[in-house]
Amino acid sequence: MQIIRNYVGGELVEPIQGKYIDNVEPATGQVYSQLPESTEEDLERAVEAAEKAQPEWAALSLEERAAILTKLANTIDYHSNQLAKAEAVDNGKPFTLAKNVDIYRSAANIRFFAQAITQFSSESHAMSNEAINYTLRDPIGVVGCISPWNLPLYLFTWKIAPALAAGNTVIAKPSEITPMTAYLFSKICIEAGLPAGVLNILHGTGPSIGNPLTTHPKIKAISFTGGTATGAHISKVTAAMFKKLSLELGGKNPTLVFADCDFEDTVDNVVRSAFSNQGQICLCGSRIYIERPIYQKFKEAFVKRVKTLKLGDPLKDTTQFGALVSKPHMDKVLSYIELAQEEGGRILTGGKQTKLQGRCQNGFFVEPTVIEGLDNNCRTNQEEIFGPVCTIMPFDNDQEAVSLANGTQYGLASSVWTSDLKRAHRVAKQIEAGIVWINCWLLRDLRTPFGGVKSSGVGREGGLEALRFFTEPKNVCIKY
Ligand code: NAD
């Protein structure tokens, strides 16, 4: 049994109270490792290490910091097979997806911010003949980064990279459901020579270490990705402490398919957007609206294509669709499929748990599921399921499409499929979401703002937005 350790002050350490939690492999349902259940005492030790390291880290030249971060990215690349396998085991996602998306992009995140910090600049504002203002952008100090289980190392690095690049030291908490690659990453930090205390990784649950981390008075900024309810809790408990908060939360993303779309390409990509990572990407399109003239044709092609998805052992190269992340999550997804039927939905394909043979016989597999016949306002269409379940519904015109798309509390991402450029611009402008993809999905340029509106979050990650978040602006005004 592998034992995961915390990473504090440059060393792999046991949790002070010596408590551990079981970690389950979703494809087998078996406990295969244990992780620390860290507490406030571990946090105190980590804050001390981070505070001690921060001035020296911030004093490095931008090129020196960038060089260390680039080395981290290169070391991820060097271990990419091992990391991808670990991610597939820990999360249940297909190895090929972990290799080509999660791990590849984890290195890309760090490399991107290593370069971005060398190009970061601040503003100056001249006042005709009176004065000049310039803005200093200093690191905040010690910051906290909390990440979820769906893209474990990918989202972990997406947060810590800009924080570190900007000269902060970091205390990071990966999800207790998928801690393994963050643990392997701590070994990579040691191998790549990241100075001690610059990054500290504490494992554990929300109550044991998440809460103390968000409310610690010396941690001045929190970057959080996870569920909307947790985001609301963090906002509440930190409100009186005036911390900087970046919250990337849940979604219920609409996919708008117009009759003039490039049909085959749209079918392929809408399947990908609904079911990648078993539908467990915050950007997945789970409400699919189809213009009525092609509704029937699209439905048939879509369902036919979904049925070809190869569900199986995440470790096999041929697998396109793996296990859900945990038993409780599988139960939640199955309960929504039941609810959808109670609400009048018809299951066109999927709808059940799948039992595999051999190694994966006790795994958490659910068939990719497509449901039609539901009203936009029912719970199935309003609540985030975060699994391999999508609904399809017809619409009659642009206005109706936009109003259906906007008809939830969420506003993270959306995609629009049309060959009418004017319509694409018009609809993109009207959709209430932080991200609109036109004739594509999950095409990511790391310089662009990333995040959601309404209950999908506050603030933006990505590019300069992230570097601005992780720095404190100070205006200096000089009279001529
Ligand atoms: P979650 O909110 O349960 O947990 C996220 C992280 O917060 C975990 O590390 C968890 O341990 C920690 N946490 C839990 N309670 C806490 C507390 N009280 N204080 C501090 N930390 C606490 O979310 P999850 O189930 O891990 O992830 C799935 C959710 O994340 C979905 O809603 C999904 O849409 C969302 N998500 C959003 C984005 C985005 O960019 N907007 C990206 C990925 C996932």
Side-chain angles (χ1 to χ4, degrees):
M1 173 103 47
Q2 209 169 342
I3 305 292
I4 289 172
R5 307 257 186 254
N6 286 332
Y7 173 54
V8 179
E11 288 174 7
L12 301 175
V13 295
E14 308 252 357
I16 292 172
Q17 288 195 5
K19 286 196 192 146
Y20 285 85
I21 314 169
D22 287 342
N23 186 28
V24 172
E25 177 179 4
T28 63
Q30 305 302 313
V31 174
Y32 82 102
S33 64
Q34 289 192 315
L35 64 138
E37 183 159 24
S38 307
T39 59
E40 283 176 36
E41 291 160 274
D42 300 294
L43 181 62
E44 285 309 331
R45 194 160 64 170
V47 169
E48 204 177 297
E51 267 195 311
K52 188 162 163 239
Q54 202 271 332
E56 228 171 280
W57 177 243
L60 291 182
S61 71
L62 296 180
E63 289 71 20
E64 284 168 325
R65 239 185 277 150
I68 295 173
L69 292 176
T70 304
K71 193 155 180 216
L72 274 181
N74 293 342
T75 315
I76 290 181
D77 283 341
Y78 181 77
H79 294 291
S80 66
N81 270 327
Q82 183 204 2
L83 287 165
K85 182 166 178 212
E87 204 72 291
V89 168
D90 211 30
N91 173 280
K93 66 178 66 205
F95 170 80
T96 47
L97 184 78
K99 178 92 196 277
N100 299 328
V101 178
D102 293 75
I103 304 308
Y104 168 77
R105 291 193 184 190
S106 300
N109 286 340
I110 298 181
R111 198 168 281 121
F112 171 82
F113 281 108
Q115 292 169 355
I117 196 64
T118 67
Q119 307 299 311
F120 191 42
S121 60
S122 59
E123 312 88 61
S124 71
H125 300 86
M127 299 168 70
S128 51
N129 293 325
E130 244 181 311
I132 176 113
N133 297 274
Y134 64 86
T135 307
L136 291 172
R137 284 212 163 255
D138 293 326
I140 295 171
V142 180
V143 301
C145 296
I146 302 179
S147 48
W149 51 257
N150 64 322
L151 305 166
L153 191 62
Y154 177 7
L155 292 179
F156 183 84
T157 51
W158 180 236
K159 292 189 174 304
I160 62 156
L164 295 174
N168 303 287
T169 51
V170 175
I171 301 180
K173 191 198 102 52
S175 169
E176 66 277 23
I177 301 170
T178 53
M180 188 54 83
T181 46
Y183 170 58
L184 297 177
F185 183 72
S186 41
K187 293 184 173 183
I188 283 173
C189 292
I190 294 169
E191 183 180 337
L194 186 72
V198 167
L199 173 66
N200 305 275
I201 303 175
L202 297 178
H203 295 273
T205 62
S208 76
I209 191 63
N211 245 340
L213 177 57
T214 50
T215 51
H216 196 289
K218 288 188 169 165
I219 300 176
K220 299 291 183 200
I222 301 286
S223 174
F224 169 82
T225 299
T228 295
T230 316
H233 171 81
I234 292 174
S235 296
K236 205 159 82 185
V237 296
T238 58
M241 304 178 85
F242 311 113
K243 289 179 193 253
K244 256 185 142 178
L245 278 191
S246 165
L247 302 173
E248 300 294 334
L249 310 176
K252 189 76 182 175
N253 308 308
T255 301
L256 306 187
V257 179
F258 287 89
D260 62 2
C261 68
D262 176 345
F263 191 82
E264 294 303 330
D265 181 64
T266 304
V267 171
D268 278 356
N269 279 299
V270 174
V271 170
R272 198 168 63 84
S273 95
F275 294 113
S276 286
N277 203 37
Q278 298 75 249
Q280 302 168 130
I281 301 182
C282 53
L283 308 165
C284 278
S286 54
R287 295 180 291 139
I288 303 168
Y289 302 102
I290 304 153
E291 204 171 5
R292 203 175 299 272
I294 62 159
Y295 183 80
Q296 196 60 29
K297 182 179 166 201
F298 189 89
K299 168 174 126 177
E300 283 162 21
F302 181 69
V303 169
K304 190 169 162 203
R305 179 77 185 76
V306 171
K307 285 183 173 164
T308 67
L309 287 175
K310 223 170 154 16
L311 185 152
D313 185 340
L315 296 184
K316 283 195 182 152
D317 280 348
T318 48
T319 296
Q320 296 170 315
F321 191 93
L324 299 196
V325 76
S326 68
K327 168 104 173 43
H329 189 55
M330 177 177 72
D331 291 342
K332 175 189 154 184
V333 169
L334 291 171
S335 79
Y336 270 102
I337 295 173
E338 232 176 274
L339 173 71
Q341 290 166 283
E342 284 162 21
E343 291 182 322
R346 287 183 299 282
I347 294 182
L348 301 176
T349 184
K352 293 190 298 295
Q353 186 184 352
T354 305
K355 287 277 174 201
L356 299 184
Q357 301 294 319
R359 189 184 98 85
C360 296
Q361 61 183 340
N362 295 318
F364 313 135
F365 296 86
V366 174
E367 297 166 340
T369 301
V370 182
I371 302 171
E372 78 166 350
L374 285 169
D375 184 81
N376 208 44
N377 296 321
C378 70
R379 281 183 56 205
T380 310
N381 273 328
Q382 291 294 318
E383 297 175 16
E384 186 186 43
I385 301 173
F386 211 54
V389 179
C390 69
T391 61
I392 59 170
M393 282 156 285
F395 67 85
D396 286 303
N397 53 52
D398 295 16
Q399 210 185 342
E400 190 192 359
V402 169
S403 121
L404 289 166
N406 290 344
T408 73
Q409 62 161 317
Y410 294 107
L412 184 54
S414 55
S415 71
V416 178
W417 304 84
T418 179
S419 49
D420 179 341
L421 189 59
K422 282 191 176 174
R423 171 195 281 143
H425 286 302
R426 219 168 37 234
V427 169
K429 172 99 177 126
Q430 292 176 68
I431 288 184
E432 295 165 356
I435 301 159
V436 183
W437 276 294
I438 308 284
N439 297 326
C440 57
W441 177 75
L442 207 62
L443 191 52
R444 293 277 295 117
D445 179 330
L446 302 187
R447 294 169 300 177
T448 59
F450 179 90
V453 299
K454 304 199 298 196
S455 298
S456 290
V458 179
R460 292 292 182 277
E461 298 187 308
L464 299 181
E465 300 275 352
L467 293 176
R468 287 196 192 106
F469 175 78
F470 282 116
T471 51
E472 199 64 82
K474 182 197 288 168
N475 188 64
V476 180
C477 177
I478 312 166
K479 197 167 184 316
Y480 290 137

